[in-house]
Amino acid sequence: MDQSFHTIIVGAGCLGTAAAISIAKLISGRGHKASDVCVIDKMVVGSGLSARHSGIVRTANADPTAAVLAQRASEMWADLEEHWGVGIKLENTGALWIARDTGGGRNAKWSGLERSLNEKGIGFNQLSLADARQICPDFVRLNDDEVFYHEPDAFQVDPSNVREALYAAIKKSGVILREKCEVLGFERDYVGDIATVVTSAGSFGCRYVINAAGPWSPSIFAGTGVSIPVSVEPVHVANWLTSLNEMPAGMPIIADYVNLAYFRQWRDGEIHMHQPRKRGIRETARAFSESPLSVLGADFMNDPTNQALGYSQMRIYEELARRRFSNIDQTVYSSGYRSFFDITPDLRFILGPDHRVPNLIHSLGSGQAFKYAPVLGEMMAEYVGGGGPLAGLGLEFSISRFSDGYMAEFWSKVQGCEHVLEAEGTGL
Ligand SMILES: Cc1cc2nc3c(=O)[nH]c(=O)nc-3n(C[C@H](O)[C@H](O)[C@H](O)COP(=O)(O)OP(=O)(O)OC[C@H]3O[C@@H](n4cnc5c(N)ncnc54)[C@H](O)[C@@H]3O)c2cc1C
């Protein structure tokens, strides 16, 4: 064995990096050194899904536990210096949520969300059309048959600043970073724990393994008999170059649930847009059954031929953008790319210890993980350290919920696709 660590983290995306930093802090006070933590990436820091997020940090969430975690994460991003020892520039734009009026000038579902979020101290309040106009640039179309909710504490960051912060925080923490080092497999001891992580740069002993390899997880862990139900759903991003004179006071993040698109102000006066994850079980099942992960692991994401935005997709986005913005006709398409949401069968996180391998702990996103990174890092530290309030919150996201029974029911809901996931898992 080349070296031994207290904890090895597989994957240096935003979740893996956050876990490494928090675990190093925790164990440094308990007779270990930060350098007893090693984060490994087969490419470089923040080069997976974390290379393609939109940098939006919103707390409002229909899932109450996710909302609590997002709230804590927002506080941590705002005070990153305290938690990671490095700062990051936040753009405090707030977010405007737009929905259809379902009657009486309200949206029934969102009024309920407003109440439950307010009870948790999360700002999310309906605005009149006139007030919504006040916070948007003139070119944003807001219509009479829509309703508006304001999340004043939402903010955005420039993803390139995030990547710099990840590198700076790793350096500051004293964690060992091994880039361009591929995890190839694992050796287990007599109780079933992972004792050794086998990589392209040698074998490393460890007490704990954190799986933060996102959509690569199924192929990495297949050899240990651990199936991890993660797949990807492709999505496109487009950036439209607009006049800086049209955005004198900036633009709030716009979560447009009428046209199903998110918009934010981006570098260089651009409007950045992408569509949200699809929510239906059929679409989720399709992403699993057609998953290219089974053939190539998640490496197809890094394939340059797979990253461009096609002409017809550009036209679809142009049409969506035109519905919301009056200035898109004179706007230049600036850039775009294909990206991927990491998804699970119920579109929720996989967090916490694995029920089959005692010292394996998962930290996988569910398509919107960037914003949760600092709080999930702390949660991982609590799991390694023997528990705590965040570890308690993580219990409902345990991978054990995807038992055979769960997956059988999942596939039975999707006619004609039964057990495709199982077939896929055995093919890996
Ligand atoms: C268009 C779009 C916009 C988004 N916008 C937002 C947003 O505004 N806010 C938000 O919160 N979320 C957003 N997301 C979601 C967010 O991008 C992801 O949920 C998040 O980046 C996932 O991070 P991760 O650390 O789990 O995974 P990754 O960043 O994919 O990290 C996994 C790492 O594992 C490494 N790896 C793989 N195999 C191996 C191996 N064998 N050995 C070692 N390392 C390995 C990979 O190289 C990779 O670096 C967006 C997603 C999309 C598609």
Side-chain angles (χ1 to χ4, degrees):
M1 194 174 316
D2 296 290
Q3 207 176 342
S4 266
F5 294 97
H6 179 280
T7 302
I8 292 181
I9 294 108
V10 185
C14 48
L15 294 193
T17 302
I21 294 163
S22 292
I23 293 169
K25 258 172 86 174
L26 176 97
I27 67 167
S28 295
R30 298 187 180 180
H32 290 277
K33 307 181 291 301
S35 57
D36 291 335
V37 175
C38 178
V39 56
I40 298 179
D41 203 288
K42 70 188 227 170
M43 310 294 263
V44 296
V45 173
S47 58
L49 295 181
S50 301
R52 305 193 203 171
H53 64 75
S54 301
I56 295 173
V57 181
R58 293 182 298 134
T59 298
N61 196 312
D63 179 326
T65 311
V68 170
L69 289 173
Q71 190 179 23
R72 175 78 187 115
S74 295
E75 290 163 7
M76 291 182 73
W77 280 117
D79 200 6
L80 206 62
E81 188 80 52
E82 163 75 18
H83 299 286
W84 287 10
V86 299
I88 188 164
K89 185 175 165 233
L90 309 184
E91 299 163 36
N92 296 97
T93 55
L96 184 70
W97 294 53
I98 308 178
R100 277 214 192 286
D101 184 343
T102 56
R106 307 189 86 73
N107 180 286
K109 201 168 135 201
W110 286 22
S111 294
L113 184 63
E114 180 180 20
R115 268 193 307 279
S116 71
L117 291 173
N118 288 171
E119 277 163 20
K120 292 184 173 59
I122 297 170
F124 183 80
N125 297 96
Q126 187 164 3
L127 287 186
S128 66
L129 174 60
D131 286 345
R133 279 201 208 292
Q134 288 287 320
I135 60 168
C136 289
D138 293 343
F139 59 78
V140 181
R141 295 187 209 271
L142 303 174
N143 306 309
D144 289 340
D145 59 349
E146 295 171 333
V147 289
F148 309 97
Y149 291 78
H150 189 218
E151 189 184 344
D153 299 329
F155 56 86
Q156 57 188 36
V157 291
D158 185 323
S160 61
N161 291 340
V162 174
R163 207 155 161 267
E164 277 171 22
L166 296 180
Y167 271 106
I170 289 174
K171 195 165 175 197
K172 190 119 193 195
S173 71
V175 159
I176 303 293
L177 167 66
R178 300 205 66 139
E179 295 180 297
K180 305 188 180 184
C181 171
E182 182 170 4
V183 171
L184 302 171
F186 305 92
E187 288 166 8
R188 293 170 72 179
D189 64 16
Y190 64 97
V191 288
D193 273 345
I194 294 174
T196 308
V197 177
V198 181
T199 79
S200 55
S203 293
F204 306 114
C206 62
R207 209 155 126 193
Y208 294 99
V209 174
I210 306 285
N211 168 27
W216 283 269
S217 310
S219 55
I220 296 175
F221 289 92
T224 58
V226 171
S227 62
I228 303 172
V230 176
S231 189
V232 287
E233 181 189 307
V235 60
H236 299 86
V237 173
N239 297 315
W240 306 98
L241 197 64
T242 56
S243 165
L244 288 178
N245 289 331
E246 291 176 323
M247 276 205 244
M251 182 177 94
I253 297 155
I254 295 182
D256 180 350
Y257 282 89
V258 173
N259 296 306
L260 287 184
Y262 297 132
F263 301 97
R264 63 159 282 188
Q265 188 176 346
W266 193 245
R267 302 161 190 155
D268 209 16
E270 292 168 329
I271 293 175
H272 169 92
M273 73 175 286
H274 68 84
Q275 295 202 277
R277 277 174 305 170
K278 299 189 181 78
R279 293 253 158 211
I281 187 166
R282 276 187 181 282
E283 281 123 347
T284 305
R286 189 175 306 129
F288 274 96
S289 59
E290 292 172 358
S291 173
L293 302 188
S294 58
V295 187
L296 295 169
D299 281 345
F300 75 104
M301 277 179 214
N302 298 330
D303 185 334
T305 59
N306 192 29
Q307 294 191 12
L309 189 68
Y311 179 80
S312 53
Q313 183 59 41
M314 211 186 297
R315 289 285 163 250
I316 292 170
Y317 271 23
E318 188 175 15
E319 178 51 31
L320 287 180
R322 185 178 288 119
R323 286 185 206 162
R324 189 53 66 197
F325 302 107
S326 61
N327 63 345
I328 287 296
D329 282 341
Q330 292 83 39
T331 294
V332 177
Y333 168 76
S334 163
S335 59
Y337 50 90
R338 201 167 191 231
S339 191
F340 301 90
F341 291 119
D342 36 341
I343 59 166
T344 59
D346 60 3
L347 302 179
R348 303 178 84 215
F349 289 111
I350 296 178
L351 300 174
D354 193 277
H355 51 297
R356 298 150 293 194
V357 179
N359 68 338
L360 171 63
I361 303 166
H362 300 287
S363 184
L364 305 182
S366 58
Q368 46 164 344
F370 148 70
K371 67 176 173 233
Y372 294 95
V375 76
L376 295 189
E378 291 289 292
M379 184 188 281
M380 294 305 117
E382 286 190 7
Y383 280 120
V384 165
L390 293 172
L393 285 177
L395 286 176
E396 68 181 81
F397 301 104
S398 166
I399 193 168
S400 60
R401 71 188 185 274
F402 299 118
S403 60
D404 289 348
Y406 180 100
M407 293 314 294
E409 199 190 325
F410 175 77
W411 288 117
S412 73
K413 287 183 185 152
V414 193
Q415 202 184 0
C417 302
E418 230 171 319
H419 303 313
V420 173
L421 182 67
E422 215 171 283
E424 211 182 300
T426 52
L428 287 170

